[in-house]
Amino acid sequence: MNIMVSMFLLPLLSFALAPAIFPMPAHYQPEAGTCQGPFSLQLDQHLSGQDQGRLKAAAGLAFETKGTTPAKLEINPDIKGNEAYNLDITPKGIEIEASNPKGLYWGLQTLRQMRTTEGFPCAEIEDAPTFAWRSVLLDVGRHFETPAFVKHFLDVMSIYKFNVLHWHLTEDQGWRIEIKSHPELTRIGAWRTEADGSRYGGFYTQDEIKDIVAYAAARNIMIIPEIEMPGHCSSAVASDPILGCTKAQIKVPTTWGVFEDVYCAGRESTFKFLDDVLSEVVKLFPSPYIHIGGDEVPIAHWKACPDCQARIQSEHLKDVYGLESYFIQRIQKMLKAKGKEIIGWDEIMKGGLAKGAVVEIWNGQSLAETALDQGSQVLLAPASNCYLDRQPNDLTMEQVYSYDPTSEITKPGGILGIEAPLWSEHITSDNCMAMFLPRGLAISEIAWSNPHKDYQSFEDRVRRHEAFMKANGIDYGPEGKAIFTYSVSSDPSKGVCDLNGKLGMEDMELKYTTDGSAPTADSASSTGNIEWPVGKTLEVAPFRNGKPVQPAAVFATERHLALGKQVTFLTQPSKRYAGTGPQGLVDGLFGSGDFHDGIWQGWDGNNLVASVDLGEPTNINEIGLHCLQQTGSWILMPKVVRYEVSDDGTNWRPYGQVPSMVKDTDLAPTLSWFTAKGAVTARYVKVTAMNYGVLPEWHLGAGDKAFIFADELRVR
């Protein structure tokens, strides 16, 4: 037995009236008695040797196969449905019938979850899926997962009858698939240099991909690769600058977000490159589909690119959105010639939908009807209901279970199925399963049996199913609480900062350091509250069973001359982003790249104007304001930051001004100091940060006003 199989031991569970099976079968009729082994497995002789081998392996995970009680797996062409099965358990034995090996395999997965300390409870089950496509997206572009982990993930998917893995293989932060005709993609694009200087990344060789595809197929799972285009491709542009509009050398990004470097749609060399890539991809994946992404495509470079503008003219396109549609349709033709159809996120409808393309809906259920009206089939993955990378307190298990995939749909026959995306900005192998389960059980049940929404019964089954997950080495997380939430404050009078943390599960603990090292299982522990001195950097992460279940949060601090001094806001920040009030601007505590962290303060459409009273005349050599830019969230650097000083708080004299050095089109989250220097003596300091103003035409929020976000006014 290999290591991946041996992880799944046979659990001995207590059994209640409603079986803790996921997804719940379409028809379940309990009968009196139990069936006890050990069993004698009897396979239909019409099965191929390959099918017999994989069914024997699946049966071995459900029950012992060296005995006398019969366990029959039979092909019955009268069973209607490609994945349907009937399961009959009596005191005399077990029988599973299906029209093909897929149904037999799913029957064994149901049986596997039914075992109790007394054996298998007798029952009659007739079962078939509502949707043919039951998918999970695993994003390995941002955080790479080893082949062993991917196989483990496939094992878990198969237990709960998910039958499609959407494998997100390329992203701004990493190119994860070997392309032999372009080795630079994995030599350069698969690796990034993190802020601490470490090298992070990885990729799958073509042999590894073939092995994983075969492993998935043996578990009734089809793998759909996603090769992202025309955006989210910085790793490719970093590998070969000619692929981008500017031809400038860039680095593989280390932060999350939407980035301005996209494939140049004007040069033929771009399409030659993509043809090379896709020619190798289609040979590795026997699925009839290739996912091409097509989402979140910034247009600033296309608007400024002579080659793209020439393409718009030569193809008689209306604008850059027409160019985007041209790009998608050209790739569709390219793949159709290779025997594949495309799937794209719902943005592929913006410039005109490519006929025959499958549209994956993430921006709202109502868009499904739009796609269906245009003759396309749809996959449903609305972020409001299915994005399991969202924290459980933000998308609870109950909210997931309440999702109705047929709401707002007048043509439900065009729905291929449902998907649960696990985007990996903040997901690694350590916390992936805790984010996926138990909420993924709700997705599996909606996709398989689209049940009447009796959430109380569902929740009860989840509670009892935890024993199965523990016995089989499957990690799971909270149902409706964040894995780790916190608030942070500073008390400059005492020279300390405090973190008040809450953990989503009782068997978690916080591990932390203040010496610049990453927390490990051997680091200092806390169950919630941590105090550390201003001037030190706190790194803290929740741990469970000796492993981190979320990336570490980092809180840098600094002592300076304005620390704890009296601040007056002359313009008020937004109520939504008020931080800890005026004193938060001089508390020595710096915000992270997450503008929701409670440390940042945001001015909506206004200038930031504030003054600080240093208490007495003070020798000043430097003044700085720390700001955040996250263009995709309407947060831009101030155009210029101006500093003034005063002896009385009334009469001000100029100290210096600093313009922004960060491009507004740079979509990566960016932290920047606006620092002015000069020797002067003064008691008061005033800062005026000039708002960017109205967002430009290329921005998704064109016409809206920009935010200024700041967290610290530093005086040295």
Side-chain angles (χ1 to χ4, degrees), residues 429-550:
S429 57
D430 290 324
N431 69 339
C432 184
M433 284 299 173
M435 296 296 283
F436 179 41
L437 298 172
R439 294 179 298 167
L441 300 178
I443 296 288
S444 80
E445 194 147 297
I446 293 167
W448 181 270
S449 48
N450 195 19
H452 298 295
K453 299 299 188 295
D454 182 358
Y455 179 73
Q456 196 60 51
S457 173
F458 174 82
E459 185 181 43
D460 174 69
R461 282 186 287 126
V462 169
R463 295 275 193 276
R464 289 184 285 109
H465 189 72
E466 289 177 359
F468 176 90
M469 292 189 284
K470 289 178 181 177
N472 286 277
I474 303 172
D475 289 337
Y476 60 92
E479 300 165 11
K481 297 180 180 178
I483 291 176
F484 173 39
T485 56
Y486 56 82
S487 61
V488 181
S489 61
S490 172
D491 185 346
S493 65
K494 296 180 180 178
V496 297
C497 295
D498 287 286
L499 178 140
N500 182 12
K502 293 183 179 180
L503 293 164
M505 302 186 77
E506 292 181 356
D507 58 351
M508 291 181 184
E509 61 180 337
L510 295 177
K511 294 289 186 176
Y512 66 94
T513 64
T514 58
D515 61 1
S517 64
T520 68
D522 296 326
S523 300
S525 298
S526 171
T527 56
N529 296 322
I530 300 172
E531 181 181 283
W532 81 102
V534 176
K536 296 284 188 178
T537 295
L538 174 71
E539 294 195 35
V540 57
F543 272 63
R544 188 182 187 200
N545 299 325
K547 297 189 302 182
V549 291
Q550 195 166 291

Side-chain angles (χ1 to χ4, degrees), residues 692-707:
Y692 178 92
V694 176
L695 297 172
E697 187 226 354
W698 54 262
H699 195 280
L700 290 174
D704 293 343
K705 294 180 180 179
F707 276 93

Side-chain angles (χ1 to χ4, degrees), residues 596-613:
H596 292 292
D597 64 11
I599 299 173
W600 292 101
Q601 302 189 61
W603 280 256
D604 184 2
N606 296 323
N607 297 336
L608 182 171
V609 186
S611 64
V612 56
D613 180 358

Side-chain angles (χ1 to χ4, degrees), residues 42-48 52 55 72-76 98 104:
Q42 300 173 19
L43 295 171
D44 193 307
Q45 295 307 303
H46 294 94
L47 293 166
S48 69
Q52 288 195 27
L55 290 171
K72 299 178 181 179
L73 275 61
E74 296 186 347
I75 296 295
N76 181 351
L104 296 177

